[in-house]
Amino acid sequence: MGAQLRLLRRRISSVKSTAKITRAQELIASSRIVKAQLRMQAALPYEREITRAVTGVVSNAASVDHPLTVAKENPTKAGVLIVTSDSGFCGGFNANVLREAEALRGLLETRGLTVVPFVTGRKGVTWHSFRGRDMGGQWVGFSRNPAYADAKEIAQTLIDSFKDENGIDEIHIVSTEFVSMLTQNVVVKRVLPLEVEETEATETTAIPPYFEFEPTAADVLESLLPRYVESRIFTALLQSAASEEAARRRAMKSATDNANELMRVLTQQMNQARQAEITQEISEIVGGANALADAAAGKE
């Protein structure tokens, strides 16, 4: 019985230490998510405006034949940028992204395309390396605090491969979009070739601006499109960073609650074991006293 009590005490001590760690992780994620949200919200207007500008240029210059806006006749390769985290303790955050990336891979392969993954985050890099999959590029170390320079480096790698005759013919992004503290959705977006949807203007939609180009629309696009790709990637990194912190906070809160519940159950079991031990000791004492009384009565 004593061994059981020692075992329960050690388990309670271990679970208590785990609860302290998960609680600390929850507090750290809670403090970081506010900054991540502010950075994400600050970047969204820039992405909207540069997307609007690029759309306006393409809409007003239909004759422009730019390699970043025209789909290739016989595409053979598709590049997929997969945005994961550098560290764990964030629940199913990475698993959801990788699952969606695998679904996209299957869809692209049905079209006869070879998928070339470009991966950010140690979790995604490790996942692909373990399965022996070649990557067109890998970047780690900034999933929780991405900088614009990181997005620029990734965008340059993707654009260079897109412009290469033997490189990729399409660019897709698989990342996590931050909706709220409780909701984060994995989204798949095609970045290149640029897709422009023709829509009718309404009272609630802005009319695309009219541009006059100097010297030519192609030169304007040559300068705008790299910035457009960079902004899309940077926004995806910021959205992913905010989603990662939200997922980590939720996962650590759940882990802390589970640890506290387990401590309650183990404490209850320990109290029951102590009561059983005390009851056994009292029974042994009473039994011994009765035996002595019976022996004394027999001598008389």
Side-chain angles (χ1 to χ4, degrees):
M1 190 64 70
Q4 183 182 4
L5 283 174
R6 287 193 296 272
L7 176 62
L8 288 171
R9 289 194 184 99
R10 283 198 296 268
R11 288 193 63 190
I12 291 173
S13 177
S14 175
V15 173
K16 187 178 294 185
S17 299
T18 301
K20 289 181 180 179
I21 294 172
T22 55
R23 176 60 177 167
Q25 291 281 357
E26 179 188 348
L27 294 175
I28 292 172
S30 298
S31 64
R32 288 181 173 179
I33 193 172
V34 176
K35 182 179 178 181
Q37 280 184 277
L38 292 176
R39 295 189 67 201
M40 175 192 70
Q41 293 168 357
L44 288 176
Y46 176 75
E47 183 200 13
R48 284 196 298 266
E49 289 304 315
I50 195 168
T51 301
R52 183 169 178 263
V54 171
T55 302
V57 172
V58 175
S59 299
N60 287 282
S63 61
V64 174
D65 186 10
H66 195 277
L68 298 185
T69 61
V70 178
K72 298 182 180 180
E73 293 183 2
N74 298 309
T76 58
K77 293 182 182 180
V80 179
L81 177 62
I82 304 171
V83 184
T84 62
S85 68
D86 287 318
S87 56
F89 297 108
C90 49
F93 175 81
N94 293 300
N96 294 334
V97 173
L98 294 170
R99 187 184 305 112
E100 195 66 31
E102 283 298 286
L104 177 61
R105 170 186 283 270
L107 180 62
L108 293 173
E109 287 178 347
T110 58
R111 293 172 49 198
L113 299 176
T114 300
V115 178
V116 181
F118 296 80
V119 187
T120 71
R122 288 190 179 89
K123 293 298 180 179
V125 171
T126 302
W127 190 89
H128 284 81
S129 299
F130 179 77
R131 287 160 177 77
R133 294 184 179 178
D134 295 330
M135 290 170 278
Q138 50 182 285
W139 300 268
V140 298
F142 53 81
S143 71
R144 303 181 80 167
N145 188 28
Y148 191 81
D150 301 318
K152 188 173 183 179
E153 180 183 351
I154 297 171
Q156 190 61 51
T157 301
L158 291 169
I159 291 174
D160 289 344
S161 180
F162 188 84
K163 289 182 176 180
D164 188 358
E165 184 177 350
N166 297 321
I168 57 178
D169 303 316
E170 296 180 3
I171 297 178
H172 302 262
I173 298 179
V174 182
S175 61
T176 307
E177 184 179 56
F178 182 89
V179 179
S180 67
M181 292 289 290
L182 298 177
T183 305
Q184 299 87 42
N185 299 324
V186 180
V187 295
V188 178
K189 298 178 180 179
R190 194 180 95 171
V191 179
L192 293 177
L194 186 65
E195 293 180 311
V196 179
E197 296 181 359
E198 297 294 336
T199 58
E200 295 182 1
T202 64
E203 295 181 357
T204 58
T205 60
I207 300 175
Y210 177 78
F211 292 100
E212 292 184 0
F213 305 106
E214 180 67 32
T216 63
D219 293 329
V220 174
L221 278 178
E222 186 66 30
S223 298
L224 273 181
L225 283 172
R227 307 289 87 77
Y228 164 77
V229 177
E230 292 168 9
S231 69
R232 295 293 297 269
I233 293 176
F234 186 50
T235 301
L237 293 177
L238 292 176
Q239 292 260 8
S240 179
S243 300
E244 177 187 345
E245 297 298 348
R248 180 170 290 109
R249 177 183 177 276
R250 190 169 60 252
M252 290 299 98
K253 184 180 186 307
S254 178
T256 303
D257 293 342
N258 291 337
N260 291 333
E261 177 63 20
L262 182 56
M263 278 193 294
R264 186 190 67 80
V265 173
L266 291 175
T267 301
Q268 185 178 15
Q269 292 177 359
M270 185 182 68
N271 291 335
Q272 292 174 350
R274 288 177 61 187
Q275 292 173 2
E277 185 176 5
I278 293 172
T279 301
Q280 183 178 358
E281 291 175 356
I282 291 175
S283 299
E284 291 174 355
I285 293 172
V286 171
N290 292 334
L292 290 175
D294 293 341
K299 288 180 180 180
E300 294 178 356

Short mmCIF file of all heavy atoms in Angstrom, two decimals, residues 35-98:
data_model
loop_
_atom_site.label_atom_id
_atom_site.label_comp_id
_atom_site.label_asym_id
_atom_site.label_seq_id
_atom_site.Cartn_x
_atom_site.Cartn_y
_atom_site.Cartn_z
N LYS A 35 0.15 41.11 -30.61
CA LYS A 35 1.09 41.73 -31.54
C LYS A 35 0.96 41.13 -32.93
O LYS A 35 1.01 41.84 -33.94
CB LYS A 35 2.51 41.54 -31.01
CG LYS A 35 3.57 42.19 -31.88
CD LYS A 35 4.96 41.98 -31.31
CE LYS A 35 6.03 42.61 -32.22
NZ LYS A 35 7.40 42.40 -31.68
N ALA A 36 0.77 39.81 -32.99
CA ALA A 36 0.63 39.14 -34.29
C ALA A 36 -0.63 39.64 -35.02
O ALA A 36 -0.61 39.84 -36.23
CB ALA A 36 0.58 37.63 -34.10
N GLN A 37 -1.71 39.83 -34.29
CA GLN A 37 -2.95 40.34 -34.89
C GLN A 37 -2.76 41.75 -35.43
O GLN A 37 -3.23 42.08 -36.52
CB GLN A 37 -4.07 40.32 -33.86
CG GLN A 37 -4.72 38.97 -33.64
CD GLN A 37 -5.88 39.07 -32.68
OE1 GLN A 37 -5.69 39.06 -31.46
NE2 GLN A 37 -7.07 39.17 -33.22
N LEU A 38 -2.07 42.60 -34.66
CA LEU A 38 -1.85 43.98 -35.09
C LEU A 38 -1.02 44.03 -36.37
O LEU A 38 -1.31 44.82 -37.29
CB LEU A 38 -1.17 44.77 -33.98
CG LEU A 38 -2.01 45.01 -32.72
CD1 LEU A 38 -1.18 45.72 -31.65
CD2 LEU A 38 -3.25 45.84 -33.05
N ARG A 39 0.02 43.21 -36.45
CA ARG A 39 0.85 43.17 -37.65
C ARG A 39 0.05 42.66 -38.85
O ARG A 39 0.17 43.19 -39.96
CB ARG A 39 2.07 42.27 -37.42
CG ARG A 39 3.04 42.77 -36.38
CD ARG A 39 4.30 41.93 -36.40
NE ARG A 39 5.03 42.13 -37.65
CZ ARG A 39 5.94 41.27 -38.13
NH1 ARG A 39 6.17 40.13 -37.49
NH2 ARG A 39 6.58 41.53 -39.25
N MET A 40 -0.78 41.66 -38.61
CA MET A 40 -1.60 41.11 -39.69
C MET A 40 -2.58 42.15 -40.20
O MET A 40 -2.72 42.35 -41.42
CB MET A 40 -2.34 39.87 -39.17
CG MET A 40 -3.31 39.25 -40.15
SD MET A 40 -4.37 38.04 -39.33
CE MET A 40 -5.40 39.14 -38.32
N GLN A 41 -3.26 42.85 -39.29
CA GLN A 41 -4.24 43.86 -39.68
C GLN A 41 -3.59 45.03 -40.39
O GLN A 41 -4.18 45.64 -41.29
CB GLN A 41 -5.01 44.32 -38.46
CG GLN A 41 -5.91 43.24 -37.86
CD GLN A 41 -6.45 43.61 -36.50
OE1 GLN A 41 -6.13 44.68 -35.96
NE2 GLN A 41 -7.27 42.74 -35.92
N ALA A 42 -2.34 45.36 -40.00
CA ALA A 42 -1.64 46.47 -40.64
C ALA A 42 -1.23 46.13 -42.07
O ALA A 42 -1.12 47.02 -42.92
CB ALA A 42 -0.41 46.85 -39.82
N ALA A 43 -1.00 44.85 -42.35
CA ALA A 43 -0.55 44.44 -43.69
C ALA A 43 -1.69 44.25 -44.67
O ALA A 43 -1.49 44.33 -45.89
CB ALA A 43 0.27 43.15 -43.60
N LEU A 44 -2.90 44.00 -44.17
CA LEU A 44 -4.03 43.71 -45.07
C LEU A 44 -4.37 44.85 -46.02
O LEU A 44 -4.62 44.61 -47.21
CB LEU A 44 -5.25 43.31 -44.24
CG LEU A 44 -5.19 41.94 -43.57
CD1 LEU A 44 -6.42 41.70 -42.70
CD2 LEU A 44 -5.07 40.83 -44.63
N PRO A 45 -4.41 46.12 -45.59
CA PRO A 45 -4.73 47.20 -46.54
C PRO A 45 -3.73 47.29 -47.69
O PRO A 45 -4.12 47.55 -48.83
CB PRO A 45 -4.69 48.46 -45.66
CG PRO A 45 -4.96 47.96 -44.28
CD PRO A 45 -4.31 46.63 -44.20
N TYR A 46 -2.46 47.07 -47.39
CA TYR A 46 -1.44 47.12 -48.45
C TYR A 46 -1.69 46.02 -49.47
O TYR A 46 -1.62 46.25 -50.69
CB TYR A 46 -0.05 46.97 -47.85
CG TYR A 46 1.06 46.91 -48.87
CD1 TYR A 46 1.48 48.06 -49.53
CD2 TYR A 46 1.66 45.71 -49.18
CE1 TYR A 46 2.49 48.01 -50.49
CE2 TYR A 46 2.67 45.64 -50.13
CZ TYR A 46 3.09 46.80 -50.77
OH TYR A 46 4.08 46.73 -51.72
N GLU A 47 -2.01 44.82 -49.00
CA GLU A 47 -2.28 43.72 -49.93
C GLU A 47 -3.50 44.03 -50.80
O GLU A 47 -3.50 43.79 -52.00
CB GLU A 47 -2.51 42.41 -49.16
CG GLU A 47 -2.71 41.22 -50.08
CD GLU A 47 -3.40 40.06 -49.40
OE1 GLU A 47 -3.93 40.25 -48.30
OE2 GLU A 47 -3.42 38.96 -49.98
N ARG A 48 -4.56 44.59 -50.18
CA ARG A 48 -5.77 44.91 -50.94
C ARG A 48 -5.48 45.95 -52.02
O ARG A 48 -5.94 45.83 -53.16
CB ARG A 48 -6.86 45.41 -50.00
CG ARG A 48 -7.55 44.31 -49.19
CD ARG A 48 -8.84 44.82 -48.59
NE ARG A 48 -8.60 45.92 -47.66
CZ ARG A 48 -8.44 45.77 -46.35
NH1 ARG A 48 -8.50 44.57 -45.81
NH2 ARG A 48 -8.24 46.81 -45.57
N GLU A 49 -4.71 46.97 -51.66
CA GLU A 49 -4.46 48.04 -52.61
C GLU A 49 -3.56 47.61 -53.75
O GLU A 49 -3.78 47.98 -54.91
CB GLU A 49 -3.85 49.25 -51.88
CG GLU A 49 -4.83 49.99 -50.99
CD GLU A 49 -6.06 50.45 -51.75
OE1 GLU A 49 -5.91 50.99 -52.87
OE2 GLU A 49 -7.18 50.26 -51.25
N ILE A 50 -2.52 46.82 -53.44
CA ILE A 50 -1.64 46.40 -54.53
C ILE A 50 -2.34 45.39 -55.42
O ILE A 50 -2.14 45.37 -56.64
CB ILE A 50 -0.30 45.84 -53.97
CG1 ILE A 50 0.73 45.77 -55.10
CG2 ILE A 50 -0.49 44.46 -53.36
CD1 ILE A 50 2.14 45.51 -54.63
N THR A 51 -3.22 44.57 -54.84
CA THR A 51 -4.02 43.66 -55.66
C THR A 51 -4.96 44.46 -56.55
O THR A 51 -5.15 44.13 -57.74
CB THR A 51 -4.83 42.70 -54.76
OG1 THR A 51 -3.92 41.95 -53.95
CG2 THR A 51 -5.66 41.75 -55.59
N ARG A 52 -5.56 45.50 -56.01
CA ARG A 52 -6.46 46.36 -56.78
C ARG A 52 -5.70 47.06 -57.91
O ARG A 52 -6.20 47.18 -59.04
CB ARG A 52 -7.10 47.39 -55.85
CG ARG A 52 -8.12 48.32 -56.51
CD ARG A 52 -8.88 49.08 -55.44
NE ARG A 52 -9.83 50.02 -56.03
CZ ARG A 52 -9.57 51.32 -56.22
NH1 ARG A 52 -8.41 51.83 -55.86
NH2 ARG A 52 -10.48 52.10 -56.76
N ALA A 53 -4.47 47.49 -57.61
CA ALA A 53 -3.67 48.17 -58.63
C ALA A 53 -3.29 47.22 -59.76
O ALA A 53 -3.42 47.56 -60.94
CB ALA A 53 -2.41 48.76 -58.00
N VAL A 54 -2.85 46.01 -59.40
CA VAL A 54 -2.48 45.04 -60.43
C VAL A 54 -3.70 44.67 -61.27
O VAL A 54 -3.63 44.56 -62.49
CB VAL A 54 -1.86 43.79 -59.77
CG1 VAL A 54 -1.68 42.67 -60.80
CG2 VAL A 54 -0.52 44.13 -59.13
N THR A 55 -4.84 44.47 -60.60
CA THR A 55 -6.06 44.13 -61.32
C THR A 55 -6.45 45.26 -62.27
O THR A 55 -6.89 45.02 -63.41
CB THR A 55 -7.21 43.87 -60.33
OG1 THR A 55 -6.82 42.81 -59.44
CG2 THR A 55 -8.48 43.47 -61.05
N GLY A 56 -6.29 46.50 -61.81
CA GLY A 56 -6.61 47.64 -62.66
C GLY A 56 -5.72 47.73 -63.87
O GLY A 56 -6.18 48.02 -64.98
N VAL A 57 -4.44 47.45 -63.69
CA VAL A 57 -3.50 47.50 -64.83
C VAL A 57 -3.86 46.44 -65.86
O VAL A 57 -3.93 46.70 -67.06
CB VAL A 57 -2.06 47.31 -64.34
CG1 VAL A 57 -1.12 47.16 -65.53
CG2 VAL A 57 -1.62 48.48 -63.48
N VAL A 58 -4.11 45.21 -65.37
CA VAL A 58 -4.44 44.12 -66.30
C VAL A 58 -5.78 44.39 -66.99
O VAL A 58 -5.96 44.12 -68.18
CB VAL A 58 -4.47 42.78 -65.54
CG1 VAL A 58 -4.93 41.65 -66.45
CG2 VAL A 58 -3.10 42.47 -64.97
N SER A 59 -6.76 44.94 -66.25
CA SER A 59 -8.08 45.20 -66.82
C SER A 59 -8.03 46.29 -67.89
O SER A 59 -8.77 46.24 -68.88
CB SER A 59 -9.06 45.60 -65.72
OG SER A 59 -9.19 44.55 -64.78
N ASN A 60 -7.16 47.28 -67.69
CA ASN A 60 -7.09 48.40 -68.62
C ASN A 60 -6.07 48.19 -69.73
O ASN A 60 -5.93 49.04 -70.60
CB ASN A 60 -6.73 49.69 -67.87
CG ASN A 60 -7.90 50.19 -67.03
OD1 ASN A 60 -8.83 50.80 -67.54
ND2 ASN A 60 -7.85 49.93 -65.74
N ALA A 61 -5.38 47.07 -69.67
CA ALA A 61 -4.39 46.79 -70.71
C ALA A 61 -4.50 45.32 -71.08
O ALA A 61 -3.64 44.51 -70.77
CB ALA A 61 -2.99 47.13 -70.23
N ALA A 62 -5.60 44.98 -71.71
CA ALA A 62 -5.88 43.57 -72.02
C ALA A 62 -4.86 42.99 -72.99
O ALA A 62 -4.70 41.77 -73.07
CB ALA A 62 -7.28 43.44 -72.60
N SER A 63 -4.20 43.85 -73.74
CA SER A 63 -3.25 43.35 -74.73
C SER A 63 -1.89 43.00 -74.14
O SER A 63 -1.01 42.52 -74.85
CB SER A 63 -3.06 44.39 -75.84
OG SER A 63 -2.53 45.59 -75.30
N VAL A 64 -1.70 43.26 -72.86
CA VAL A 64 -0.41 43.00 -72.23
C VAL A 64 -0.18 41.49 -72.14
O VAL A 64 -1.02 40.76 -71.64
CB VAL A 64 -0.35 43.62 -70.81
CG1 VAL A 64 0.94 43.21 -70.11
CG2 VAL A 64 -0.43 45.13 -70.93
N ASP A 65 0.95 41.05 -72.65
CA ASP A 65 1.30 39.63 -72.63
C ASP A 65 2.50 39.45 -71.71
O ASP A 65 3.64 39.41 -72.16
CB ASP A 65 1.61 39.14 -74.05
CG ASP A 65 1.84 37.64 -74.09
OD1 ASP A 65 1.57 36.97 -73.08
OD2 ASP A 65 2.31 37.15 -75.14
N HIS A 66 2.25 39.38 -70.41
CA HIS A 66 3.32 39.26 -69.42
C HIS A 66 3.39 37.82 -68.94
O HIS A 66 2.36 37.18 -68.71
CB HIS A 66 3.04 40.20 -68.23
CG HIS A 66 4.25 40.39 -67.36
ND1 HIS A 66 4.60 39.51 -66.38
CD2 HIS A 66 5.18 41.39 -67.35
CE1 HIS A 66 5.69 39.95 -65.78
NE2 HIS A 66 6.07 41.09 -66.34
N PRO A 67 4.60 37.29 -68.77
CA PRO A 67 4.73 35.87 -68.37
C PRO A 67 4.10 35.55 -67.02
O PRO A 67 3.75 34.40 -66.77
CB PRO A 67 6.24 35.65 -68.33
CG PRO A 67 6.85 37.02 -68.28
CD PRO A 67 5.91 37.91 -69.00
N LEU A 68 3.93 36.54 -66.16
CA LEU A 68 3.34 36.28 -64.86
C LEU A 68 1.82 36.32 -64.89
O LEU A 68 1.17 35.99 -63.89
CB LEU A 68 3.85 37.29 -63.82
CG LEU A 68 5.35 37.28 -63.55
CD1 LEU A 68 5.69 38.26 -62.43
CD2 LEU A 68 5.86 35.90 -63.20
N THR A 69 1.25 36.74 -66.02
CA THR A 69 -0.21 36.83 -66.09
C THR A 69 -0.81 35.86 -67.09
O THR A 69 -2.03 35.67 -67.10
CB THR A 69 -0.65 38.25 -66.47
OG1 THR A 69 -0.11 38.57 -67.76
CG2 THR A 69 -0.14 39.27 -65.45
N VAL A 70 0.01 35.27 -67.93
CA VAL A 70 -0.50 34.39 -68.98
C VAL A 70 -0.19 32.94 -68.62
O VAL A 70 0.96 32.58 -68.34
CB VAL A 70 0.14 34.74 -70.35
CG1 VAL A 70 -0.37 33.78 -71.42
CG2 VAL A 70 -0.16 36.18 -70.71
N ALA A 71 -1.22 32.10 -68.59
CA ALA A 71 -1.02 30.69 -68.30
C ALA A 71 -0.29 30.01 -69.45
O ALA A 71 -0.55 30.29 -70.62
CB ALA A 71 -2.37 30.00 -68.05
N LYS A 72 0.64 29.12 -69.12
CA LYS A 72 1.39 28.40 -70.14
C LYS A 72 0.49 27.36 -70.81
O LYS A 72 -0.43 26.81 -70.19
CB LYS A 72 2.61 27.74 -69.51
CG LYS A 72 3.57 28.76 -68.91
CD LYS A 72 4.82 28.11 -68.33
CE LYS A 72 5.75 29.15 -67.73
NZ LYS A 72 6.98 28.55 -67.15
N GLU A 73 0.78 27.11 -72.06
CA GLU A 73 -0.09 26.22 -72.85
C GLU A 73 -0.10 24.80 -72.30
O GLU A 73 -1.14 24.18 -72.14
CB GLU A 73 0.37 26.23 -74.31
CG GLU A 73 0.15 27.56 -75.01
CD GLU A 73 0.56 27.49 -76.47
OE1 GLU A 73 0.97 26.39 -76.91
OE2 GLU A 73 0.45 28.51 -77.17
N ASN A 74 1.08 24.26 -72.03
CA ASN A 74 1.17 22.88 -71.54
C ASN A 74 1.94 22.85 -70.22
O ASN A 74 3.13 22.50 -70.17
CB ASN A 74 1.88 21.99 -72.58
CG ASN A 74 1.12 21.92 -73.89
OD1 ASN A 74 -0.08 21.64 -73.90
ND2 ASN A 74 1.81 22.18 -74.99
N PRO A 75 1.27 23.22 -69.13
CA PRO A 75 1.97 23.24 -67.83
C PRO A 75 2.35 21.83 -67.40
O PRO A 75 1.61 20.87 -67.60
CB PRO A 75 0.93 23.84 -66.89
CG PRO A 75 -0.39 23.58 -67.54
CD PRO A 75 -0.13 23.61 -69.01
N THR A 76 3.52 21.71 -66.82
CA THR A 76 4.00 20.40 -66.36
C THR A 76 4.32 20.38 -64.87
O THR A 76 4.31 19.31 -64.26
CB THR A 76 5.26 20.00 -67.14
OG1 THR A 76 6.28 21.01 -66.96
CG2 THR A 76 4.96 19.84 -68.62
N LYS A 77 4.62 21.54 -64.28
CA LYS A 77 5.00 21.59 -62.87
C LYS A 77 4.20 22.67 -62.14
O LYS A 77 3.89 23.71 -62.72
CB LYS A 77 6.50 21.89 -62.70
CG LYS A 77 7.43 20.79 -63.19
CD LYS A 77 8.88 21.17 -62.93
CE LYS A 77 9.84 20.11 -63.44
NZ LYS A 77 11.26 20.48 -63.19
N ALA A 78 3.90 22.39 -60.90
CA ALA A 78 3.20 23.36 -60.05
C ALA A 78 3.97 23.50 -58.74
O ALA A 78 4.31 22.50 -58.11
CB ALA A 78 1.77 22.92 -59.77
N GLY A 79 4.25 24.72 -58.35
CA GLY A 79 4.91 24.98 -57.09
C GLY A 79 3.88 25.27 -56.01
O GLY A 79 2.95 26.04 -56.23
N VAL A 80 4.04 24.62 -54.86
CA VAL A 80 3.11 24.82 -53.75
C VAL A 80 3.90 25.30 -52.54
O VAL A 80 4.77 24.59 -52.03
CB VAL A 80 2.37 23.51 -53.39
CG1 VAL A 80 1.43 23.74 -52.21
CG2 VAL A 80 1.59 22.99 -54.59
N LEU A 81 3.61 26.53 -52.11
CA LEU A 81 4.23 27.07 -50.90
C LEU A 81 3.41 26.62 -49.71
O LEU A 81 2.23 26.99 -49.57
CB LEU A 81 4.30 28.60 -50.97
CG LEU A 81 4.86 29.29 -49.73
CD1 LEU A 81 6.30 28.88 -49.48
CD2 LEU A 81 4.75 30.82 -49.87
N ILE A 82 4.02 25.84 -48.81
CA ILE A 82 3.33 25.29 -47.65
C ILE A 82 3.85 26.01 -46.40
O ILE A 82 5.05 25.94 -46.10
CB ILE A 82 3.58 23.77 -47.54
CG1 ILE A 82 3.15 23.07 -48.83
CG2 ILE A 82 2.84 23.19 -46.35
CD1 ILE A 82 3.54 21.61 -48.90
N VAL A 83 2.97 26.69 -45.70
CA VAL A 83 3.35 27.51 -44.54
C VAL A 83 3.03 26.75 -43.26
O VAL A 83 1.85 26.56 -42.92
CB VAL A 83 2.62 28.88 -44.57
CG1 VAL A 83 3.10 29.74 -43.41
CG2 VAL A 83 2.86 29.58 -45.89
N THR A 84 4.07 26.29 -42.55
CA THR A 84 3.89 25.59 -41.28
C THR A 84 4.65 26.34 -40.18
O THR A 84 5.20 27.42 -40.42
CB THR A 84 4.40 24.14 -41.37
OG1 THR A 84 5.81 24.15 -41.66
CG2 THR A 84 3.68 23.38 -42.49
N SER A 85 4.71 25.77 -39.00
CA SER A 85 5.35 26.43 -37.86
C SER A 85 6.73 25.82 -37.59
O SER A 85 7.04 24.72 -38.05
CB SER A 85 4.48 26.31 -36.61
OG SER A 85 4.42 24.96 -36.17
N ASP A 86 7.53 26.56 -36.84
CA ASP A 86 8.85 26.06 -36.46
C ASP A 86 8.80 25.17 -35.22
O ASP A 86 9.66 24.32 -35.04
CB ASP A 86 9.80 27.24 -36.19
CG ASP A 86 10.22 27.96 -37.47
OD1 ASP A 86 10.49 27.26 -38.46
OD2 ASP A 86 10.25 29.19 -37.49
N SER A 87 7.81 25.37 -34.37
CA SER A 87 7.72 24.62 -33.12
C SER A 87 6.34 23.98 -32.99
O SER A 87 5.41 24.34 -33.71
CB SER A 87 8.01 25.53 -31.92
OG SER A 87 7.13 26.65 -31.92
N GLY A 88 6.25 23.08 -32.04
CA GLY A 88 4.99 22.36 -31.82
C GLY A 88 4.14 22.99 -30.74
O GLY A 88 4.11 24.22 -30.59
N PHE A 89 3.45 22.15 -29.98
CA PHE A 89 2.55 22.60 -28.92
C PHE A 89 1.43 23.49 -29.46
O PHE A 89 1.00 24.43 -28.78
CB PHE A 89 3.30 23.35 -27.81
CG PHE A 89 4.31 22.52 -27.07
CD1 PHE A 89 5.65 22.73 -27.26
CD2 PHE A 89 3.90 21.53 -26.20
CE1 PHE A 89 6.58 21.97 -26.59
CE2 PHE A 89 4.82 20.76 -25.52
CZ PHE A 89 6.17 20.98 -25.71
N CYS A 90 0.99 23.22 -30.70
CA CYS A 90 -0.07 24.05 -31.28
C CYS A 90 -1.19 23.18 -31.84
O CYS A 90 -1.82 23.55 -32.84
CB CYS A 90 0.48 24.99 -32.35
SG CYS A 90 1.54 24.21 -33.58
N GLY A 91 -1.44 22.04 -31.21
CA GLY A 91 -2.56 21.20 -31.61
C GLY A 91 -2.42 20.67 -33.02
O GLY A 91 -1.36 20.23 -33.45
N GLY A 92 -3.52 20.74 -33.76
CA GLY A 92 -3.53 20.23 -35.13
C GLY A 92 -3.19 21.26 -36.18
O GLY A 92 -3.51 21.08 -37.35
N PHE A 93 -2.52 22.34 -35.79
CA PHE A 93 -2.21 23.44 -36.72
C PHE A 93 -1.45 22.93 -37.94
O PHE A 93 -1.86 23.13 -39.08
CB PHE A 93 -1.41 24.51 -35.98
CG PHE A 93 -0.92 25.63 -36.85
CD1 PHE A 93 -1.76 26.68 -37.20
CD2 PHE A 93 0.38 25.65 -37.34
CE1 PHE A 93 -1.33 27.71 -38.01
CE2 PHE A 93 0.82 26.67 -38.15
CZ PHE A 93 -0.02 27.71 -38.48
N ASN A 94 -0.32 22.26 -37.72
CA ASN A 94 0.51 21.80 -38.83
C ASN A 94 -0.14 20.63 -39.56
O ASN A 94 -0.05 20.53 -40.79
CB ASN A 94 1.89 21.40 -38.32
CG ASN A 94 2.67 22.59 -37.80
OD1 ASN A 94 2.93 23.54 -38.53
ND2 ASN A 94 3.04 22.55 -36.54
N ALA A 95 -0.79 19.74 -38.81
CA ALA A 95 -1.42 18.57 -39.44
C ALA A 95 -2.49 19.01 -40.43
O ALA A 95 -2.63 18.43 -41.52
CB ALA A 95 -2.02 17.66 -38.38
N ASN A 96 -3.25 20.05 -40.09
CA ASN A 96 -4.30 20.53 -40.99
C ASN A 96 -3.72 21.11 -42.28
O ASN A 96 -4.24 20.89 -43.38
CB ASN A 96 -5.16 21.58 -40.28
CG ASN A 96 -5.95 21.00 -39.12
OD1 ASN A 96 -6.26 19.80 -39.12
ND2 ASN A 96 -6.28 21.82 -38.15
N VAL A 97 -2.62 21.87 -42.14
CA VAL A 97 -1.99 22.46 -43.32
C VAL A 97 -1.43 21.37 -44.23
O VAL A 97 -1.63 21.39 -45.45
CB VAL A 97 -0.87 23.43 -42.89
CG1 VAL A 97 -0.09 23.91 -44.11
CG2 VAL A 97 -1.45 24.63 -42.16
N LEU A 98 -0.73 20.41 -43.64
CA LEU A 98 -0.12 19.34 -44.44
C LEU A 98 -1.19 18.45 -45.09
O LEU A 98 -1.01 17.98 -46.21
CB LEU A 98 0.81 18.51 -43.55
CG LEU A 98 2.05 19.26 -43.04
CD1 LEU A 98 2.78 18.44 -41.99
CD2 LEU A 98 2.99 19.59 -44.20
#
